[in-house]
Amino acid sequence: MRFFLFTLIVFGLIGCTGISDQNRIIEIDTKYKNGQLEEAKVDIDQFLTERPDNEIGWTLLGHILADMDDDEAAKEAYETAISLDPKTVEAITGMGILSRRLGEYDQAAEYYYKAISLDPNYAQAYSSLVVIHLKQKDFKRAVDVGKRGYNLDKSDPTIASNLAVAYHYDGDSVNRDIYYDIAEANGYRNLESLQKIFSGEYTVFD
């Protein structure tokens, strides 16, 4: 069974220009976050036909394609975003997620740390590093980067859920349950998967 506990990064509107474009991106992103992938894909394709130079649109397309398991197309979308703006940290982090899926953990970490170097306050890159350090079974480091991400963004349910998993593997059930509850309160959609991680039915390891 192919199983991904860690969802894609939360989409940001950094770099969008024009209120009309921002509103359209927000609408499409809402569909994406609600799991309406096919509909979001149609809408973002139309948007990019009209705005081919919008790096945030290409980044969102990458997110959608990655969630649809079309990693090659997602990589092309992220690369287009980065070619338009080399400081598009959301696309750089997306490239890290694709590398992580391929088991290229060192490469993934390079992308995440590059994103952090460009934006030290980019919480989602820290949270993505949690996955890498868990894969490497460096649980204390996973907790450390997870806490950094959470302190920067306490509203992202994926950040809280990743930190809960890090605490779980580090043997701290008290903090695990605290961040599980935070993830639930913030609307995390994969609570059952978290429970199966905690019970040992699922694992984050290869």
Side-chain angles (χ1 to χ4, degrees), residues 58-77:
W58 285 104
T59 302
L60 180 51
L61 175 60
H63 293 352
I64 293 167
L65 289 166
D67 266 11
M68 296 173 77
D69 291 333
D70 191 346
D71 288 359
E72 279 301 316
K75 181 180 178 182
E76 291 179 8

Side-chain angles (χ1 to χ4, degrees), residues 130-149:
V130 172
V131 184
I132 299 302
H133 296 315
L134 286 174
K135 296 282 191 183
Q136 296 168 334
K137 298 189 178 182
D138 190 344
F139 304 138
K140 293 195 180 302
R141 195 172 183 189
V143 168
D144 179 62
V145 293
K147 286 165 60 178
R148 292 187 189 190

Side-chain angles (χ1 to χ4, degrees), residues 49-119:
T49 298
E50 302 167 17
R51 298 285 188 274
D53 60 346
N54 189 294
E55 73 278 5
I56 298 301
W58 285 104
T59 302
L60 180 51
L61 175 60
H63 293 352
I64 293 167
L65 289 166
D67 266 11
M68 296 173 77
D69 291 333
D70 191 346
D71 288 359
E72 279 301 316
K75 181 180 178 182
E76 291 179 8
Y78 289 139
E79 288 176 339
T80 300
I82 293 167
S83 71
L84 291 167
D85 181 358
K87 295 182 179 181
T88 304
V89 293
E90 296 91 345
I92 293 168
T93 306
M95 290 287 287
I97 290 172
L98 296 181
S99 294
R100 186 261 295 172
R101 287 185 176 183
L102 293 171
E104 299 170 352
Y105 301 135
D106 290 343
Q107 180 67 61
E110 285 184 21
Y111 281 121
Y112 299 148
Y113 280 114
K114 181 178 180 180
I116 290 168
S117 72
L118 292 169
D119 182 0

Side-chain angles (χ1 to χ4, degrees), residues 14-35:
I14 301 168
C16 259
T17 57
I19 297 300
S20 177
D21 285 355
Q22 287 188 24
N23 288 340
R24 289 179 68 186
I25 288 286
I26 289 170
E27 289 175 3
I28 299 167
D29 182 48
T30 298
K31 290 180 180 179
Y32 162 64
K33 288 177 179 174
N34 288 335

